[in-house]
Amino acid sequence: MDIALSDSAWEKNYRPVNQEMLDMGGEVEGGYNDVFEDDAASVYTKFGKFKPARGVRGVLYALFGLVFVVWATAGYGSVVAGWVDPLRASNWCAASVFVALWMPLIAFITNRGEKRSWVMTLEEFVCVWLLLSGCAQVFWELPYVIVKRQLFDLDYTTLSESQRWWWFFWMYPSGDTRYMRPDPATHATETFLAFSGFLELFAAYKLLRVDPHPRRRDLLYKACMIIAILTHWGFFWANTAVVYLSEIYAHFDHVENGWQGMWLKWGALNLQWSVLSPMCVGFALYLLVEKSREEGRQRHILEHGCLTIQNSDSDLTDDEDL
């Protein structure tokens, strides 16, 4: 039994990832369904093939990630030990973290000699932003939501020696004082966003750790894209409305500590969720639609003559209708 695809059908739909399947020659026991119906996604799919942290991108990811590690360890320890002024350290931290939060844009860098599709680039962007944003929600927002009431008595200009333990959560509120004063709207919003971080981390994990079963992998891939769309549309709306617009309406009454509080903290440390999040939504929506279209073409190949079973050496019919 010979199994083949016409050249135009193959080139138009999916260049094979597993060349051995293409070159198997046609002797397939049990019929084509045993091979192609269960494994079509793994043989033909152009999705879920991205390889992050390669070459220059890997180095940049490591350097950007190191910023968070240094401030969470050495930076925090230096403030608690009294070696660095809390307010000055908070300004330095805000400036460096602002740069590091643009990490997902590294996905658009292609190493010399690397062959990477546009789909792989977008997948890497979505995955990195899900991972970075998810860590921010789970490891900063969630603890902050829990301890916020402990910040009500703190001064936004400095911390006493006994209060320096709170610097990790005081760093941003020293500029945007709504986060260290009773403000139900921001507290409720941050609570909701914090728990969304677990969904982000789940989606990033599933994108990085591909399920070996084709059908389950396809379902998880689409679920990850849906999570990215829903969570980051929510982040974009909440961040832009609650953080920015509400404070503009309040004539910046809650922004303190001069231009550092205004631009390094209130302005800079929220900007990524008003820029990268809608980008993530658009890219994830594109990937979800294209993945669904790919699956539709695969079903068409299996069900309508683009994949034919033949006992002669004649060529297969073309798939011009696709």
Side-chain angles (χ1 to χ4, degrees):
M1 181 180 295
D2 292 333
I3 297 177
L5 285 175
S6 64
D7 291 339
S8 61
W10 189 263
E11 293 295 332
K12 182 184 294 186
N13 292 296
Y14 319 103
R15 188 180 300 276
V17 176
N18 188 341
Q19 189 67 29
E20 293 179 0
M21 289 290 291
L22 178 63
D23 296 335
M24 63 188 177
E27 288 293 333
V28 181
E29 296 183 2
Y32 74 90
N33 283 332
D34 290 344
V35 175
F36 286 95
E37 186 171 0
D38 288 335
D39 293 332
S42 62
V43 175
Y44 301 116
T45 187
K46 59 183 178 181
F47 295 90
K49 305 296 182 183
F50 74 100
K51 302 294 184 181
R54 291 288 183 89
V56 174
R57 292 198 309 280
V59 173
L60 292 175
Y61 284 140
L63 291 175
F64 277 49
L66 188 62
V67 172
F68 300 102
V69 175
V70 168
W71 279 111
T73 55
Y76 176 68
S78 298
V79 173
V80 172
W83 299 338
V84 183
D85 177 70
L87 185 59
R88 181 175 300 177
S90 70
N91 294 334
W92 293 343
C93 179
S96 56
V97 168
F98 166 72
V99 175
L101 283 173
W102 296 103
M103 185 191 298
L105 296 179
I106 296 173
F108 293 100
I109 298 175
T110 300
N111 297 307
R112 180 179 297 180
E114 181 182 22
K115 295 182 179 180
R116 206 164 53 125
S117 68
W118 181 240
V119 165
M120 295 169 69
T121 300
L122 298 187
E123 287 175 337
E124 185 169 332
F125 175 93
V126 170
C127 183
V128 172
W129 184 226
L130 284 171
L131 182 61
L132 183 59
S133 177
C135 288
Q137 309 306 324
V138 172
F139 298 111
W140 193 88
E141 296 283 2
L142 183 57
Y144 160 79
V145 166
I146 297 172
V147 305
K148 180 179 179 178
R149 292 184 180 275
Q150 308 300 321
L151 308 178
F152 289 171
D153 296 331
L154 302 182
D155 186 357
Y156 60 80
T157 59
T158 190
L159 293 173
S160 66
E161 184 176 353
S162 62
Q163 294 173 336
R164 288 177 180 171
W165 294 100
W166 297 110
W167 180 83
F168 187 73
F169 301 106
W170 174 87
M171 183 276 294
Y172 173 78
S174 64
D176 186 351
T177 59
R178 292 174 297 175
Y179 284 76
M180 59 190 300
R181 299 290 182 262
D183 192 285
T186 58
H187 201 178
T189 302
E190 299 301 329
T191 301
F192 185 85
L193 298 182
F195 284 100
S196 298
F198 291 102
L199 291 175
E200 291 183 274
L201 294 180
F202 169 80
Y205 173 77
K206 287 301 180 181
L207 287 174
L208 290 170
R209 188 178 179 85
V210 178
D211 193 290
H213 190 278
R215 294 179 185 274
R216 188 165 56 235
R217 181 179 62 213
D218 288 348
L219 290 174
L220 285 171
Y221 183 91
K222 291 185 286 187
C224 291
M225 293 302 120
I226 292 173
I227 289 173
I229 294 167
L230 294 179
T231 56
H232 280 278
W233 179 248
F235 289 154
F236 166 68
W237 177 86
N239 185 74
T240 305
V242 176
V243 175
Y244 285 137
L245 289 180
S246 64
E247 191 59 22
I248 292 172
Y249 290 158
H251 304 287
F252 308 101
D253 288 343
H254 305 98
V255 178
E256 300 292 347
N257 283 319
W259 69 268
Q260 295 97 334
M262 168 72 80
W263 299 113
L264 288 181
K265 297 172 185 176
W266 175 78
L269 294 184
N270 295 294
L271 187 60
Q272 294 79 8
W273 281 269
S274 287
V275 176
L276 299 182
S277 285
M279 290 175 62
C280 178
V281 170
F283 295 158
L285 184 60
Y286 169 81
L287 293 170
L288 178 62
V289 170
E290 288 301 305
K291 177 61 177 173
S292 299
R293 292 180 63 189
E294 180 187 75
E295 291 178 355
R297 290 193 292 265
Q298 288 172 348
R299 286 192 295 270
H300 191 98
I301 289 174
L302 292 172
E303 297 171 1
H304 300 90
C306 293
L307 177 66
T308 62
I309 304 175
Q310 55 189 25
N311 294 317
S312 66
D313 294 332
S314 62
D315 292 332
L316 296 177
T317 59
D318 203 344
D319 64 330
E320 296 178 357
D321 59 321
L322 291 181

